[in-house]
């Protein structure tokens, strides 16, 4: 798809309602793809899914280079062995742009053999392998991969501008706030998913109270469907969002979820909507903030896993650490967000990214700096915001949350004890143990609204 003479990425669904009734999609990945399309120059481009194999494509087209869009490739739970045969058959250089390690916290990683082999194949077919941040570089270095460049995520450079000037608002109480949420923050995706969930609830309520906020969906099923359907089905999706984030059943919540949720289907439309409606962006989705940053709109991050932590440190972005578990105070966060570090880090990271593309033989639209003979090794820059809780309102929030979580744990323990007793009685009646355990697991899932990791 073309807009303003440049390609823009869009979701390829002829029937989006049917698609989202069946599952989610991550428009953050689409933003990375869109950014790469805008940064590189080419005569022809073809999007190939590695899982589908090369098929007839190699016979139909003679490619000069293969670009791998970065993602959470380095994880302990996923085996990339399925990629190895396809990667070996590709007869061009393979240039990975912004691949990263995914873990709840910084640690030595134990990776599948197939993942290690796939990473070595990619590294062997490029000058340098582009990774998101210093932690990802450390993980690859431990695997014996030395040709590494820390480039961040290509989405940060979507504007192709060598500098970004953040337009920080002066009137913090009347500005329009955009925010993002993430219902998948557990397992490898959060160091503490319970804290992450409760802080998201706090953010949600703060933004609803402002009245002029927008919730930006990144392809979450319930949020997106609520913007596509009407009537009873719309109310069902809104009810699911309320349950996911433990929101009160109030007129204010209902009104907000009925009219202030935006779900993009084209990246340029997403960017344009943010540019027109947001003065400050905050949230739990990496690319939900990036779509604002490259337009000079200030954005603050909640950090909860290695992916968010290493990228915000690389770019010196304002962060609120979820593990500190403090109430969300939007006015305080907006007033104490410093973007001078980000502006400096962005300029140097841009130079490194441009040099990386040139070194790997990719023609691009980024400004080249002839003085950069070799990329400067980036150092992490901490830029945390620690919201105090020594006034009555914040202390009350902490006390209320502690009481809520205590009750939650007690309810969970009571349910566990009840199910164990039930399983014991069923076992004495010689019912199949596996069936008993599966039944107990289903009851616990229904009781606590657990969501399967995407």
């Amino acid at each position: 798809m073309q807009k303003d003479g440049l390609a823009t990425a869009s979701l390829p669904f002829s029937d989006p309602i049917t698609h989202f009734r069946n599952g989610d999609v991550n428009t953050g990945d689409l933003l990375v793809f869109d950014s790469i399309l805008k940064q590189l120059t080419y005569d022809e481009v073809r999007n190939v899914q590695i899982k589908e194999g090369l098929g007839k494509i190699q016979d139909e087209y003679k490619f000069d280079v293969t670009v791998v869009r970065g993602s959470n490739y380095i994880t302990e739970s996923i085996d990339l062995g399925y990629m190895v045969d396809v990667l070996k058959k590709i007869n061009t250089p393979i240039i990975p742009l912004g691949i990263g390690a995914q873990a709840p916290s910084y640690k030595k990683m134990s990776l599948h053999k197939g993942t290690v082999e796939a990473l070595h194949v990619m590294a062997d077919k490029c000058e340098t392998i582009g990774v998101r941040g210093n932690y990802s570089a450390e993980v690859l270095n431990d695997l014996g991969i030395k040709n590494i460049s820390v480039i961040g995520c290509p989405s940060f450079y979507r504007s192709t501008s060598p500098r970004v000037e953040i337009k920080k608002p002066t009137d913090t109480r009347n500005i329009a706030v955009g925010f993002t949420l993430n219902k998948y923050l557990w397992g490898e995706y959060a160091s503490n998913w319970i804290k992450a969930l409760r802080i998201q609830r706090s953010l949600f309520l703060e933004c609803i109270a402002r009245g002029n906020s927008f919730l930006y969906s990144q392809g979450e099923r319930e949020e997106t469907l609520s913007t596509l359907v009407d009537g009873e089905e719309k109310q069902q999706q809104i009810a699911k969002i309320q349950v996911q984030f433990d929101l009160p059943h109030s007129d204010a919540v209902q009104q907000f979820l009925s009219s202030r949720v935006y779900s993009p289907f084209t990246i340029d439309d997403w960017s344009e909507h943010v540019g027109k409606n947001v003065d400050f962006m905050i949230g739990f989705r990496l690319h939900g903030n990036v779509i604002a940053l490259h337009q000079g709109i200030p954005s603050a991050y909640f950090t909860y896993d290695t992916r968010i932590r290493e990228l915000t440190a690389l770019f010196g972005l304002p962060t609120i650490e979820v593990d500190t578990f403090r109430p969300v105070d939007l006015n305080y966060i907006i007033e104490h967000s410093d973007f001078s570090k980000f502006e400096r880090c962005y300029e140097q990271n841009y130079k490194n990214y441009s040099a990386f593309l040139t070194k790997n033989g990719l023609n691009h639209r980024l400004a080249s700096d002839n003085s950069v003979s070799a990329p400067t090794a980036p150092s992490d820059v901490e830029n945390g915001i620690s919201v105090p809780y020594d006034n009555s309102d914040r202390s009350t929030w902490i006390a209320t949350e502690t009481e809520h979580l205590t009750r939650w744990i007690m309810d969970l323990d009571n349910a566990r004890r009840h199910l164990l007793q039930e399983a014991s009685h069923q076992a004495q009646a010689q019912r199949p143990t596996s069936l008993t355990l599966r039944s107990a697991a289903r009851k616990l899932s229904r009781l606590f609204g657990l969501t399967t990791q995407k």
Side-chain angles (χ1 to χ4, degrees):
M1 183 174 178
Q2 292 277 331
K3 188 170 182 178
D4 299 329
L6 292 176
T8 184
S10 60
L11 294 175
F13 305 140
S14 58
D15 184 359
I17 292 178
T18 298
H19 175 87
F20 282 101
R21 281 173 179 164
N22 294 322
D24 304 83
V25 67
N26 188 349
T27 51
D29 290 339
L30 196 67
L31 174 60
V32 182
F33 180 46
D34 177 271
S35 301
I36 294 171
L37 290 176
K38 286 178 167 57
Q39 292 157 9
L40 303 184
T41 60
Y42 42 81
D43 297 319
E44 188 171 9
V45 63
R46 180 70 176 265
N47 182 21
V48 179
Q49 300 297 316
I50 291 181
K51 282 186 176 181
E52 298 172 3
L54 296 179
K56 297 188 299 181
I57 293 176
Q58 279 188 314
D59 298 328
E60 296 174 357
Y61 298 93
K62 301 300 181 183
F63 297 114
D64 297 310
V65 66
T66 301
V67 172
V68 175
R69 176 191 58 78
S71 190
N72 309 325
Y73 288 156
I74 311 171
T75 74
E76 292 183 329
S77 63
I78 298 175
D79 188 348
L80 299 183
Y82 71 90
M83 299 174 61
V84 172
D85 288 342
V86 175
L87 292 172
K88 287 181 176 179
K89 290 177 182 176
I90 293 175
N91 56 8
T92 72
I94 299 176
I95 317 298
L97 299 184
I99 67 173
Q102 179 71 57
S105 56
Y106 295 131
K107 64 176 183 177
K108 294 288 185 181
M109 299 187 74
S110 178
L111 302 176
H112 289 274
K113 181 179 178 181
T115 296
V116 175
E117 185 177 2
L119 293 170
H120 273 278
V121 173
M122 284 189 277
D124 290 343
K125 292 195 172 189
C126 63
E127 288 292 326
T128 59
I129 188 168
V131 299
R132 284 181 183 151
N134 289 307
Y135 173 61
S136 297
E138 179 183 323
V139 173
L140 288 186
N141 185 73
D142 289 344
L143 299 178
I145 297 174
K146 306 298 181 182
N147 56 328
I148 307 166
S149 293
V150 176
I151 60 173
C153 177
S155 60
F156 278 87
Y157 319 107
R158 180 174 182 267
S159 68
T160 70
S161 173
R163 294 174 190 82
V164 174
E165 183 177 350
I166 298 299
K167 300 167 287 191
K168 189 172 181 181
T170 55
D171 184 3
T172 61
R173 296 187 179 273
N174 295 313
I175 66 173
V177 174
F179 69 106
T180 60
L181 303 169
N182 193 333
K183 66 180 180 180
Y184 299 106
L185 297 188
W186 62 285
E188 291 182 324
Y189 289 80
S191 50
N192 191 313
W193 69 269
I194 296 176
K195 289 181 178 179
L197 179 62
R198 299 305 294 180
I199 293 177
Q200 286 187 86
R201 180 183 188 273
S202 179
L203 173 64
F204 213 143
L205 295 176
E206 279 270 312
C207 289
I208 289 174
R210 296 182 77 92
N212 60 353
S213 304
F214 267 101
L215 169 60
Y216 285 91
S217 169
Q218 279 188 219
E220 287 85 357
R221 180 191 306 180
E222 297 81 7
E223 294 170 19
T224 303
L225 272 179
S226 73
T227 69
L228 295 175
V229 299
D230 295 309
E232 183 179 349
E233 186 175 2
K234 182 182 184 75
Q235 293 305 312
Q236 289 172 350
Q237 301 308 321
I238 289 174
K240 290 178 182 178
I241 298 171
Q242 289 176 289
V243 170
Q244 286 169 356
F245 297 101
D246 193 22
L247 300 176
H249 294 276
S250 66
D251 291 342
V253 172
Q254 178 72 26
Q255 176 66 24
F256 183 91
L257 292 175
S258 298
S259 60
R260 307 293 291 184
V261 180
Y262 181 82
S263 297
F265 288 86
T266 299
I267 298 302
D268 280 357
D269 292 342
W270 182 12
S271 177
E272 184 177 335
H273 191 278
V274 170
K276 290 181 178 178
N277 294 281
V278 173
D279 300 310
F280 192 94
M281 185 72 81
I282 186 170
F284 288 76
R285 298 302 296 258
L286 169 66
H287 297 106
N289 281 7
V290 171
I291 200 76
L293 282 169
H294 67 69
Q295 301 183 74
I297 299 171
S299 304
Y301 282 87
F302 290 91
T303 50
Y304 48 81
D305 67 0
T306 59
R307 180 183 65 141
I308 302 295
R309 290 184 179 111
E310 76 169 344
L311 275 166
T312 53
L314 182 69
F315 283 91
L317 283 160
T319 59
I320 305 97
E321 175 55 56
V322 163
D323 285 354
T324 61
F325 199 57
R326 288 178 170 87
V328 175
D329 185 330
L330 277 177
N331 289 329
Y332 185 93
I333 291 170
I334 294 168
E335 290 168 2
H336 290 80
S337 293
D338 172 23
F339 293 93
S340 59
K341 295 179 180 180
F342 168 69
E343 292 171 346
R344 292 194 301 271
C345 290
Y346 174 89
E347 187 172 352
Q348 184 56 58
N349 290 333
Y350 179 96
K351 292 177 181 179
N352 289 347
Y353 183 53
S354 176
F356 167 84
L357 296 177
T358 300
K359 184 174 183 179
N360 279 278
L362 293 172
N363 297 324
H364 58 87
R365 296 186 177 90
L366 274 69
S368 298
D369 188 344
N370 294 328
S371 66
V372 182
S373 56
T376 302
S379 58
D380 290 342
V381 176
E382 300 299 328
N383 190 5
I385 303 170
S386 181
V387 179
Y389 54 92
D390 53 0
N391 63 35
S392 59
D393 289 342
R394 294 169 188 162
S395 297
T396 299
W397 185 89
I398 292 290
T400 302
E401 285 297 308
T402 301
E403 182 179 351
H404 170 86
L405 294 177
T406 300
R407 288 199 312 269
W408 192 90
I409 293 170
M410 291 174 65
D411 289 345
L412 178 61
D413 188 57
N414 287 335
R416 178 187 66 84
R417 292 171 183 269
H418 175 75
L419 290 172
L420 285 175
Q421 288 177 345
E422 184 178 307
S424 176
H425 293 155
Q426 292 174 351
Q428 291 175 8
Q430 297 183 340
R431 294 189 61 184
T433 303
S434 60
L435 179 63
T436 301
L437 293 176
R438 284 199 299 271
S439 175
R442 285 195 295 269
K443 289 180 180 179
L444 280 173
S445 296
R446 287 196 299 271
L447 180 62
F448 296 100
L450 298 179
T451 304
T452 302
Q453 174 67 47
K454 180 165 63 175

